C-alpha cells in the first residue's frame, strides 16, 4: 500500500531518528485509520529499540493522542508508548511537563470516547496495568477505578483483562511478581532496509505480471460438480425479507454458495462489510459474502475478493429514478438520490438533513445489505448535521446486485448520533427501495 511504501522510504532516507519520528507521526495523523498494522509495528519497534528518542517520541505521542483521540492507529501507538515509558514522560524535560493526573485524565477520556475501538480499549487497559508499577499509590487507586467498570463488560476480552489486572494489583500473594509481569518489554526487531528492498522487488515483479494480463485474458471458471463453497449461513432471513432461494448466478460462474438474506447480527450490531466489489467477470471458487457476513469475520471464513478501481465519484449525476425518503423521524430526514443505473450497479447519494433547532453531532450512517449485494461506502462529508435544515451531510454509496433480475436490493441502515442530551441509535429497514434498481 501507499502507507507501507511511505514507511520504507522514511526509514531508508531519514537523516536522523527525531526526523523519522516527526514524519511518521505527521503521516499517521493525516492518514488516520488507513495506516496498516505493519506501520504501527515498525513505529513501536523504532521507539523501543532506540533509547535516545523514547522520551521525545512519548512526549509527541502524548500530545498527538490528546489532540486527536479518533485517529485509531495513532492512539494505539500512543497508549503503548505511554504505558512503556510513562515514568520518563513524568520526569520529562524543560520542553514538556506531564503529571500522573494528566496521563490518567487522557486514559479516562480515551476509554469513555464513543469512537474508541475494542482494540483501543485493550491497549489502554494494558498500558494502565504497566503504569501501575510506575505511579504513586494514589495513581494506582485511580487506575483501579478506571479498570473496574470493565469487569462487567459484555466484551469477554475486556472483562477478562480488567479482572486479571485488578487481581494482580490487589492480591498481595502475587504483588512480588507484579514488577516482573509488568516490566518494560524488550526491544522489538523491525524489518531491515534489505528486507524491505526484497519486498519492493517482489511487489514490482508482481505488478509487471499483472500488467501483462488484460481483462480479456481472464476467463470465468466453469462450475464442476457440487458446490465447493465453505460458507454456511447460520441465520438466513431470505424468507422474512422476501428473497428467493435461488443461488445460481449465470453471470458470475461462482462454484460456492451465495448465502441469502441479511445477517441478523449485522442488523443488531451494525456489522458492515466495505470490501471492494468483485469484478463480475471473474469466476470465484469460494462463497460470496458481499454486504458483510459478521459470522465470517468471527470464524475466519476464507473469502477471496478481487479489488477494483475506485468507483465512488465526487458527484452523483442526475438520476433517472426519483429520490426516496429512506428515513424521517423526529426532525431527521434521510433521502436516497440515485444516479442512472449501469447494468447491475447502482450509485446513490445519502443526504441527511435536520429540521430541529439542535445540531446532531457524532453522526454516522452505516448500511447493511444481503450477501448477494456488494457494497462500497465513501467517507461522509461530515459528522454534524446542522439545525433548521441549514445544511446537510452527504455520503456516496455503490451497490452491485450479483443476482440482478433474480433478487431485489434490500437495504438496512444504522443511524447513530447525539442531539443535545438525546442519543440517536436507530436500525431501520428501507422498504421503499425502487424495484427497478
Amino acid at each position: 500500500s501507499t502507507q507501507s511504501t511511505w514507511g520504507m522510504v522514511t526509514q531508508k532516507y531519514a537523516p536522523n531518528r527525531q526526523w523519522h519520528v516527526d514524519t511518521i507521526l505527521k503521516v499517521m495523523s493525516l492518514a488516520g485509520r488507513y495506516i496498516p498494522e505493519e506501520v504501527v509495528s515498525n513505529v513501536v519497534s523504532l521507539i523501543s529499540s532506540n533509547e535516545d528518542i523514547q522520551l521525545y517520541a512519548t512526549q509527541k505521542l502524548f500530545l498527538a493522542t490528546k489532540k486527536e483521540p479518533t485517529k485509531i492507529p495513532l492512539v494505539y501507538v500512543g497508549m503503548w508508548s505511554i504505558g512503556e515509558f510513562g515514568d520518563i514522560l513524568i520526569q520529562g524535560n524543560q520542553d514538556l511537563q506531564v503529571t500522573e493526573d494528566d496521563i490518567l485524565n487522557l486514559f479516562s477520556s480515551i476509554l469513555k470516547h464513543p469512537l474508541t475501538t475494542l482494540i483501543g480499549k485493550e491497549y489502554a487497559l494494558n498500558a494502565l496495568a504497566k503504569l501501575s508499577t510506575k505511579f504513586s499509590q494514589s495513581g494506582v487507586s485511580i487506575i483501579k477505578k478506571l479498570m473496574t467498570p470493565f469487569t462487567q463488560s459484555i466484551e469477554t476480552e475486556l472483562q477478562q483483562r480488567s479482572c486479571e489486572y485488578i487481581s494482580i494489583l490487589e492480591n498481595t500473594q502475587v504483588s512480588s511478581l507484579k514488577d516482573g509481569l509488568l516490566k518494560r518489554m524488550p526491544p522489538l526487531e523491525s524489518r531491515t532496509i534489505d528486507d524491505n528492498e526484497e519486498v519492493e522487488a517482489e511487489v514490482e515483479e508482481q505488478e509487471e505480471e499483472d500488467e501483462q494480463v488484460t481483462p480479456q485474458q481472464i476467463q470465468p471458471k466453469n462450475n464442476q460438480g457440487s458446490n465447493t463453497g465453505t460458507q454456511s449461513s447460520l441465520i438466513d432471513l431470505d424468507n422474512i425479507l422476501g428473497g428467493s432461494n435461488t443461488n445460481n448466478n449465470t453471470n458470475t460462474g461462482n462454484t460456492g454458495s451465495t448465502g441469502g438474506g441479511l445477517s441478523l447480527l449485522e442488523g443488531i450490531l451494525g456489522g458492515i462489510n466495505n470490501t471492494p466489489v468483485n469484478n463480475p467477470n471473474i469466476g470465484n471458487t469460494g462463497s460470496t459474502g458481499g454486504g458483510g457476513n459478521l459470522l465470517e469475520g468471527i470464524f475466519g471464513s476464507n473469502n477471496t475478493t478481487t479489488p477494483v478501481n475506485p468507483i465512488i465519484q465526487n458527484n452523483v449525476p442526475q438520476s433517472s429514478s426519483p429520490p426516496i425518503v429512506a428515513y424521517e423521524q423526529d426532525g431527521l430526514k434521510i433521502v436516497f438520490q440515485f444516479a442512472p443505473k449501469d447494468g447491475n450497479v447502482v450509485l446513490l447519494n445519502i443526504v441527511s438533513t435536520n429540521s430541529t433547532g439542535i445540531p446532531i453531532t457524532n453522526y454516522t450512517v452505516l448500511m447493511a445489505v444481503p450477501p448477494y449485494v456488494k457494497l462500497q461506502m465513501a467517507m461522509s462529508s461530515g459528522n454534524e448535521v446542522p439545525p433548521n435544515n441549514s445544511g446537510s451531510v452527504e455520503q456516496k454509496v455503490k451497490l452491485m446486485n450479483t443476482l440482478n433480475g433474480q433478487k431485489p436490493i434490500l437495504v438496512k441502515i444504522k443511524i447513530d448520533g447525539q442531539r443535545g442530551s438525546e442519543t440517536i441509535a436507530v436500525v431501520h429497514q428501507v422498504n421503499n427501495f425502487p424495484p427497478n434498481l
Side-chain angles (χ1 to χ4, degrees):
S1 66
T2 303
Q3 290 84 1
S4 299
T5 304
W6 151 81
M8 291 186 290
V9 170
T10 54
Q11 179 183 354
K12 185 173 183 178
Y13 296 104
N16 54 65
R17 294 191 183 98
Q18 184 171 317
W19 179 93
H20 194 179
V21 170
D22 289 338
T23 305
I24 287 177
L25 298 187
K26 183 175 182 180
V27 176
M28 290 183 73
S29 175
L30 293 173
R33 62 188 179 90
Y34 297 102
I35 292 292
E37 291 183 4
E38 62 188 82
V39 173
V40 174
S41 176
N42 286 337
V43 176
V44 168
S45 176
L46 171 66
I47 298 172
S48 65
S49 58
N50 294 282
E51 187 175 347
D52 57 322
I53 61 167
Q54 288 171 356
L55 173 59
Y56 179 80
T58 305
Q59 287 177 331
K60 289 287 186 179
L61 284 164
F62 174 81
L63 295 174
T65 305
K66 187 175 181 179
K67 180 181 179 182
E68 300 178 301
T70 60
K71 300 300 176 66
I72 297 173
L74 189 63
V75 171
Y76 292 171
V77 180
M79 295 292 97
W80 172 86
S81 181
I82 295 171
E84 292 293 320
F85 309 110
D87 50 344
I88 64 175
L89 176 62
I90 293 175
Q91 294 172 7
N93 54 29
Q94 59 184 1
D95 296 329
L96 179 66
Q97 292 294 327
V98 179
T99 65
E100 288 185 6
D101 289 340
D102 294 333
I103 295 176
L104 293 174
N105 287 337
L106 172 62
F107 275 82
S108 177
S109 64
I110 292 294
L111 288 170
K112 294 177 182 178
H113 199 286
L115 298 182
T116 301
T117 63
L118 173 62
I119 297 177
K121 292 177 181 178
E122 292 171 359
Y123 267 91
L125 290 177
N126 289 345
L128 284 172
K130 293 263 189 174
L131 290 172
S132 67
T133 63
K134 305 174 176 68
F135 281 9
S136 63
Q137 192 59 42
S138 61
V140 174
S141 299
I142 297 176
I143 289 175
K144 292 178 184 178
K145 291 180 181 179
L146 292 176
M147 289 183 175
T148 299
F150 295 98
T151 59
Q152 299 179 354
S153 173
I154 61 173
E155 297 291 347
T156 306
E157 184 70 18
L158 292 179
Q159 184 184 104
Q160 181 176 344
R161 292 191 187 200
S162 56
C163 289
E164 290 175 350
Y165 289 149
I166 290 177
S167 178
I168 291 173
L169 297 181
E170 294 181 344
N171 193 336
T172 56
Q173 295 180 353
V174 297
S175 59
S176 59
L177 303 176
K178 183 173 68 173
D179 291 340
L181 291 172
L182 302 176
K183 68 179 181 180
R184 186 175 298 171
M185 63 183 293
L188 297 178
E189 293 184 2
S190 62
R191 176 175 281 178
T192 64
I193 294 298
D194 292 337
D195 293 334
N196 288 333
E197 289 175 347
E198 291 179 6
V199 173
E200 287 179 331
E202 292 175 4
V203 171
E204 291 176 358
E205 182 179 350
Q206 183 62 43
E207 289 177 346
E208 291 176 358
E209 292 177 0
D210 293 342
E211 290 174 356
Q212 295 173 2
V213 181
T214 63
Q216 290 77 12
Q217 292 175 302
I218 304 176
Q219 299 297 332
K221 300 177 182 179
N222 295 326
N223 292 338
Q224 296 179 357
S226 61
N227 289 346
T228 61
T230 59
Q231 176 178 334
S232 174
S233 178
L234 300 183
I235 303 174
D236 191 347
L237 300 187
D238 245 2
N239 295 332
I240 297 176
L241 299 176
S244 66
N245 291 326
T246 303
N247 287 333
N248 295 329
N249 182 359
T250 57
N251 297 326
T252 59
N254 292 334
T255 60
S257 62
T258 61
L262 287 168
S263 167
L264 181 60
L265 295 178
E266 251 184 356
I268 297 174
L269 302 177
I272 300 296
N273 185 353
N274 290 336
T275 305
V277 179
N278 288 350
N279 187 333
N281 295 322
I282 298 177
N284 295 329
T285 58
S287 60
T288 60
N293 190 333
L294 184 60
L295 297 177
E296 282 185 355
I298 297 174
F299 295 110
S301 173
N302 292 326
N303 184 12
T304 304
T305 56
T306 304
V308 297
N309 293 329
I311 45 74
I312 298 183
Q313 306 297 326
N314 291 329
N315 296 307
V316 175
Q318 188 70 24
S319 172
S320 57
S321 297
I324 64 169
V325 178
Y327 176 84
E328 186 172 14
Q329 188 172 339
D330 298 330
L332 175 61
K333 183 176 182 180
I334 299 177
V335 175
F336 287 1
Q337 299 175 342
F338 299 95
K341 186 177 181 182
D342 181 13
N344 62 347
V345 176
V346 176
L347 289 176
L348 64 92
N349 187 26
I350 302 176
V351 181
S352 304
T353 55
N354 173 25
S355 62
T356 68
I358 304 174
I360 302 176
T361 58
N362 297 326
Y363 180 75
T364 59
V365 176
L366 301 178
M367 182 178 290
V369 293
Y372 59 84
V373 178
K374 308 298 182 182
L375 168 69
Q376 278 189 320
M377 299 187 73
M379 296 289 290
S380 64
S381 61
N383 62 354
E384 180 174 325
V385 188
N388 303 318
N389 291 327
S390 58
S392 63
V393 172
E394 300 186 10
Q395 189 169 11
K396 308 296 187 298
V397 177
K398 179 180 179 179
L399 302 172
M400 186 178 77
N401 188 356
T402 61
L403 297 181
N404 188 33
Q406 302 179 47
K407 290 187 176 183
I409 295 178
L410 304 174
V411 172
K412 182 175 287 188
I413 56 176
K414 185 175 186 296
I415 309 161
D416 291 288
Q418 191 77 26
R419 180 164 45 199
S421 59
E422 175 193 3
T423 298
I424 300 174
V426 179
V427 177
H428 176 70
Q429 177 76 40
V430 181
N431 295 316
N432 56 337
F433 204 89
N436 62 315
L437 298 179

